[in-house]
């Protein structure tokens, strides 16, 4: 049989083949991104901090749940159970509990926070920018604390010999750095990492989220875009920031349940003196 040399037919065949490969690649990438968004990494970090003598104390840090839809609910509950399993001194929440306050989303958040009742570990948290941007702040707040988490709005509590301050959100200008304690065994929760520059020096460690680690990254976790408030500090430990700063990639997503080269994170921190 003679080969088909009709250029029109060849180009159509090549075109269809290319379309087929392109569609397969697109479907594969979408599936991979969805799978990555559900694949929580438990990040264990031991940090050596200045002016710290509560050696060996452990905190779990869970942030940016964005627990709106059923996938996010399942992921958020899994994240909380990972934190509980580590038996930390306290579980700390970094804000952005929801992205929208539709009634079913508020119920979803209540379902997630009910997981806190599965253990007696104390829980503290701050609000994030999305919790304010939603506009129904009081409803979001009520759902966020429904499971027993204590919300800190520019308040300091003592946890296992550590002075923990929960800063209210900085992007909406509710934060009060002037109220932050400094000195020995001080720990700050503040949703947006870049606002470490406005905090008084002398806080032993700040924990932040907000960046989602970039959420959609290049191979190697190189972020392409992060929101205002997370332009400078995106993921990991920044020992030389104004105060030592740890930024989590967080649990949830904004927009679709999709992450690329940037797994969701629950952080288990063991803190000691440097
Ligand atoms: Fe967020």
């Amino acid at each position: 049989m003679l080969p088909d040399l009709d250029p029109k037919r060849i180009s159509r065949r090549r075109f269809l083949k290319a379309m087929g490969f392109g569609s397969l690649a697109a479907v594969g990438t979408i599936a991979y991104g969805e799978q990555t968004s559900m694949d929580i990494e438990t990040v264990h970090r031991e940090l050596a901090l200045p002016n710290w003598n509560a050696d060996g104390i452990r905190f779990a840090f869970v942030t940016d749940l964005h627990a709106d839809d059923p996938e996010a609910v399942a992921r958020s509950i899994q994240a909380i159970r990972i934190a509980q399993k580590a038996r930390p001194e306290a579980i700390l929440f970094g804000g952005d509990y929801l992205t929208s306050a539709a009634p079913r989303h508020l119920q979803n958040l209540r379902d997630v926070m009910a997981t806190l009742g599965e253990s007696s570990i104390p829980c503290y948290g701050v609000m994030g920018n999305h919790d304010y941007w939603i506009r129904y702040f009081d409803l979001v707040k009520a759902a966020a604390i429904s499971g027993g988490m204590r919300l800190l709005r520019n308040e300091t509590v003592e946890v296992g010999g550590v002075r923990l301050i929960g800063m209210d959100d900085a992007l909406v200008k509710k934060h009060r750095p002037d109220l932050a304690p400094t000195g020995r065994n001080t720990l700050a929760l503040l949703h947006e990492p870049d606002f470490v520059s406005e905090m008084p020096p002398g806080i032993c460690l700040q924990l932040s989220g907000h960046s989602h680690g970039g959420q959609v990254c290049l191979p190697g976790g190189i972020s392409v875009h992060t929101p205002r408030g997370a332009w400078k500090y995106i993921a990991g430990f920044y020992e030389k920031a104004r105060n030592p700063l740890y930024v989590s990639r967080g649990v949830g997503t904004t927009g679709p349940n999709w992450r690329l080269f940037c797994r969701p994170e629950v952080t288990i921190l063991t803190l000691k003196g440097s």
Side-chain angles (χ1 to χ4, degrees):
M1 193 177 166
L2 284 172
D4 183 357
L5 296 175
D6 179 346
K8 277 185 191 160
R9 293 193 63 184
I10 291 171
S11 66
R12 189 194 303 151
R13 192 181 301 146
R14 280 187 180 156
F15 174 74
L16 290 172
K17 207 171 173 182
M19 283 289 286
F21 280 128
S23 304
L24 267 178
V27 168
T29 306
I30 289 167
Y32 178 70
E34 284 174 352
Q35 188 193 6
T36 302
S37 78
M38 299 300 285
D39 186 17
I40 299 173
E41 180 182 4
T42 307
V43 176
H44 292 268
R45 289 293 299 260
E46 187 175 292
L47 302 181
L49 305 173
N51 212 4
W52 190 271
N53 68 5
D55 277 354
I57 195 166
R58 260 179 315 131
F59 290 99
F61 183 44
V62 178
T63 186
D64 295 84
L65 294 176
H66 294 279
D68 297 56
D69 57 52
E71 289 81 7
V73 169
R75 181 174 54 220
S76 299
I77 290 173
Q78 188 192 353
I80 290 170
R81 288 188 176 141
I82 290 170
Q84 289 168 331
K85 204 174 163 195
R87 307 298 306 164
E89 188 76 25
I91 301 174
L92 309 178
F93 289 87
D96 276 8
Y97 303 91
L98 283 178
T99 312
S100 107
R104 69 178 187 284
H105 295 167
L106 290 165
Q107 184 54 50
N108 286 346
L109 179 56
R110 285 192 286 271
D111 292 345
V112 166
M113 297 316 263
T115 314
L116 301 187
E118 294 175 9
S119 89
S120 57
I121 300 166
C123 300
Y124 302 91
V126 292
M127 290 307 223
N129 56 309
H130 280 279
D131 304 313
Y132 279 98
W133 288 355
I134 285 169
R135 284 191 289 169
Y136 299 98
F137 179 82
D138 288 341
L139 296 178
V140 178
K141 178 186 156 193
I145 63 176
S146 61
M149 181 194 84
R150 179 165 171 192
L151 182 64
L152 300 174
R153 300 176 72 187
N154 301 317
E155 291 167 76
T156 301
V157 291
E158 193 271 333
V159 188
V162 172
R163 282 181 292 160
L164 168 71
I165 178 138
M167 274 285 120
D168 212 348
D169 190 64
L171 267 189
V172 298
K173 302 189 188 321
K174 300 279 187 188
H175 62 316
R176 290 283 306 275
D178 56 304
L179 297 179
T182 57
R184 188 175 295 278
N185 297 350
T186 43
L187 179 58
L189 273 178
L190 200 175
H191 183 67
E192 295 92 355
D194 289 359
F195 286 88
V196 68
S197 63
E198 294 190 6
M199 296 295 279
I203 296 172
C204 300
L205 177 66
Q206 175 177 317
L207 300 179
S208 298
H210 183 57
S211 68
H212 299 192
Q215 191 170 314
V216 176
C217 291
L218 298 173
I222 300 163
S223 65
V224 180
H225 168 78
T226 50
R228 188 163 72 89
W231 287 341
K232 189 170 183 184
Y233 303 108
I234 297 165
F237 186 45
Y238 299 90
E239 198 174 359
K240 300 293 180 197
R242 184 179 180 89
N243 292 311
L245 166 69
Y246 185 86
V247 186
S248 166
R249 299 188 301 268
V251 174
T253 62
T254 42
N257 279 302
W258 213 71
R259 283 178 177 257
L260 214 51
F261 304 112
C262 183
R263 290 169 67 190
E265 167 179 346
V266 170
T267 324
I268 310 299
L269 295 162
T270 304
L271 306 178
K272 60 176 192 174
S274 58

